[in-house]
Amino acid sequence: MSIEITGVTKRFGDFVALEDVSVSIPSGQLTALLGPSGGGKSTLLRIIAGLEYADAGTVGIEGLDATHLPARKRGVGFVFQHYAAFKHLSVRRNIAFGLEIRKRPKDEIRHRVDELLALVHLEQFAERLPAQLSGGQRQRMALARALAVEPKVLLLDEPFGALDAKVRKELREWLRRLHDEVHVTTVFVTHDQEEALEVADEIVVINEGRVEQIGSPDQLYDEPANDFVMRFLGPVTQLGDLLVRPHDVTLTTGADDPDAVAGRVARVVRVGFEVRVEVSTGEQVVLATMTRTEFLRLGVDAGTTVSVRVVPGAPVVPVSGSSVRSGLEVPAR
Amino acid sequence: MAERQRLRTRGPGRFVTRAIVTAYLFLLVAWPLWLVAQNTFADGFDNLRGILDDPDVVHALQLTVVVAVVAVVINTVFGVGISILIVRYRFPGRRLLNALLDVPLSVSPIVVGLALVLVYGGRSGWFGPGLEDAGLQVIFATPGIILATTFVALPLVIREVVPVLEEIGTEQEQAAQSLGATAAQTFRRITLPAIRWGVTYGVVLSLARSLGEFGAVKVVSGNVLGETRTATLVVEEKYLNFDQGGAYATAFLLALVAVACIVVVSIIRPKEEPR
């Protein structure tokens, strides 16, 4: 394991940002810390980096106890949401900063910076100031700067949060490819579940200062530990006392099914290739989504009586406030 | 934005406003200063030559420059330090310290002078006799003048640097640290370049203020001709002794240096600071 966090607690005044958090982050992988804003994921990342110190608990990086080490001795690269570019230095000098601090020979620095400029596709911008770059370019520069010192782990705090949707999507794919090339243990914070599911090898879901679940994107999506994870990772709808994904709800007409619930189609909305059918079962409204082809084959419309059921084997989670919290960390991996 | 548009298109009102501001500045600042210059050169260069040939005046000018430079250096070093302390750290008494820093601007310099005499006075001050026994005379000597000048110009660097420090935030410094920089390296390579214009303005304002300090210096210097008399005291002395030409010439030199500082800064200052 590359990063070992055990029993970390952090308070800011009365606010508990992290409460007895333990996480192991494997080497060489891309791990996402996913959760809603204010849930403590950025605080956890900053504690790993040494930009904050935990009130209790320990942080180990590559087998070294880093709990009390200052940031500069941890061998971590950190990328900030708002780039933290050194505004008075050119792109080249920004990337060279860590190497200059380490007093590497000039030739070596130039060579290494050239490599990194190529890696982040900023060769032609080497002599510009950060103010002359776009947001995406600045973030790539910040990434090259962090990679220059060959960190043991690379930490990214909402790295694409300040970018517009299109650039964010491009950079996220690019980060994945970059990681496949560079293979440095990487942890990034995001509140965007799509970003985490698409990019990460491993996802740690954090909410209200606690770890809700740790697992691969598939595990989290298919076997959510509780209703919070279920709700946070994608759309949900409720059938009886169960939370289920709308695409795992099927509708049938006519045939009697002992497991199905009878209902009436209340509304049909078509969004591109997807059709959303709202079915009223009397006490609740269930949402079912399907492709347009499936919808046409079903042949229903507002007012039609249908049977509603969950696809056998689909992930369901009982609806309840805190009772499912007992299984915070999923034992089965 | 909308407000600026509205003000810009108000037509005649705009000219009236402009005329009032111009007249106000002209009557209050430009014209009196111009008269000082006019009086200085009323007899060609005679007045200037007169004071520059007087060894006591030359000594006073030198003393003023030395005092101002030392005071500016002290205020710059401590000003930057205190600014970082106030902006980057939270500690009990921080607000009090912050309020205390404005005291030198609000208290009359003459009060400052008297207070310094009470503390450092050679015969009855708190520290004065002890320091004098150790061979350091503060009051009625150069150290006292430096002390008084430093006191009155104390907040100027701080008030320029604090807002800049607040605006740049801590992320660049944190990034530098995570890249391996020590606190000293972070300060020299990241913080200092980022606040350099704030420091520059603070230094210029401090220098102008230090050159011109009169009240506090008058109390603590003893005003000994050729020893502890500074340029501003020369101006008063000459004016009271009906040597108006000498007074105007010295005043002109003082004003010239101060104006030159501000002009130089406004020329070398980048039009729009790179953000």
Side-chain angles (χ1 to χ4, degrees), chain A residues 136-324:
Chain A
Q137 289 168 337
R138 266 183 246 183
Q139 198 57 297
R140 297 209 305 266
M141 179 194 82
L143 206 60
R145 183 176 71 181
L147 287 172
V149 296
E150 291 175 354
K152 286 179 279 187
V153 293
L154 181 63
L155 307 174
L156 305 100
D157 189 2
E158 302 252 0
F160 315 130
L163 304 168
D164 62 60
K166 184 165 169 286
V167 178
R168 189 186 315 183
K169 218 165 157 59
E170 283 169 15
L171 267 191
R172 159 206 307 180
E173 284 158 18
W174 174 81
L175 175 71
R176 182 67 240 186
R177 287 199 304 274
L178 182 81
H179 183 263
D180 294 340
E181 266 177 64
V182 184
H183 278 307
V184 59
T185 306
T186 305
V187 183
F188 75 103
V189 161
T190 181
H191 61 257
D192 179 345
Q193 89 285 350
E194 194 186 313
E195 195 166 290
L197 290 171
E198 186 178 321
V199 177
D201 299 313
E202 180 99 348
I203 298 176
V204 180
V205 181
I206 297 179
N207 181 42
E208 291 178 344
R210 289 183 288 193
V211 174
E212 299 278 0
Q213 189 174 5
I214 305 173
S216 69
D218 285 349
Q219 282 173 328
L220 258 61
Y221 201 83
D222 296 338
E223 305 153 30
N226 54 43
D227 62 335
F228 175 80
V229 176
M230 179 91 181
R231 285 178 203 275
F232 200 76
L233 261 80
V236 289
T237 187
Q238 194 174 335
L239 180 57
D241 294 332
L242 295 176
L243 274 185
V244 61
R245 305 242 177 259
H247 56 73
D248 287 333
V249 174
T250 55
L251 306 180
T252 46
T253 47
D256 273 341
D257 186 335
D259 295 337
V261 180
R264 202 169 52 79
V265 175
R267 209 159 81 95
V268 176
V269 182
R270 185 190 159 192
V271 183
F273 64 87
E274 186 185 89
V275 181
R276 298 173 189 169
V277 183
E278 287 173 16
V279 181
S280 171
T281 61
E283 65 239 29
Q284 59 191 176
V285 175
V286 184
L287 177 67
T289 57
M290 59 197 73
T291 63
R292 184 158 162 75
T293 325
E294 286 167 341
F295 175 74
L296 291 176
R297 196 180 302 144
L298 191 62
V300 296
D301 209 340
T304 316
T305 305
V306 290
S307 300
V308 188
R309 61 167 297 170
V310 178
V311 175
V316 291
V317 165
V319 181
S320 54
S322 50
S323 65
V324 276

Side-chain angles (χ1 to χ4, degrees), chain B residues 115-197:
Chain B
L116 288 176
V117 170
L118 284 177
V119 177
Y120 296 100
R123 244 171 275 156
S124 56
W126 281 29
F127 301 144
L131 287 172
E132 215 144 278
D133 289 345
L136 180 69
Q137 191 190 350
V138 178
I139 301 301
F140 306 141
T142 312
I145 305 175
I146 293 174
L147 213 55
T149 309
T150 308
F151 190 119
V152 296
L154 175 85
L156 297 171
V157 169
I158 298 170
R159 292 291 165 239
E160 290 295 320
V161 171
V162 162
V164 184
L165 270 178
E166 275 169 352
E167 199 209 298
I168 60 170
T170 53
E171 282 204 340
Q172 290 186 55
E173 289 164 13
Q174 288 176 350
Q177 278 163 18
S178 80
L179 289 168
T182 61
Q185 285 169 321
T186 305
F187 175 75
R188 196 173 63 77
R189 287 167 175 265
I190 303 302
T191 315
L192 202 54
I195 61 173
R196 65 189 186 280
W197 282 107

Side-chain angles (χ1 to χ4, degrees), chain A residues 46 51 71-72 76 78 80 84-88 97-98 100-102 131 145, chain B residues 171-172 174-182 185 189-190 193-194 196 274-275:
Chain A
R46 293 171 63 83
L51 300 175
R72 66 191 168 87
V76 300
F78 200 95
F80 295 81
F86 302 144
K87 289 166 186 166
H88 61 292
F97 187 87
E100 287 178 5
I101 289 287
R102 283 164 177 73
R145 183 176 71 181
Chain B
E171 282 204 340
Q172 290 186 55
Q174 288 176 350
Q177 278 163 18
S178 80
L179 289 168
T182 61
Q185 285 169 321
R189 287 167 175 265
I190 303 302
R196 65 189 186 280
R275 291 258 174 259

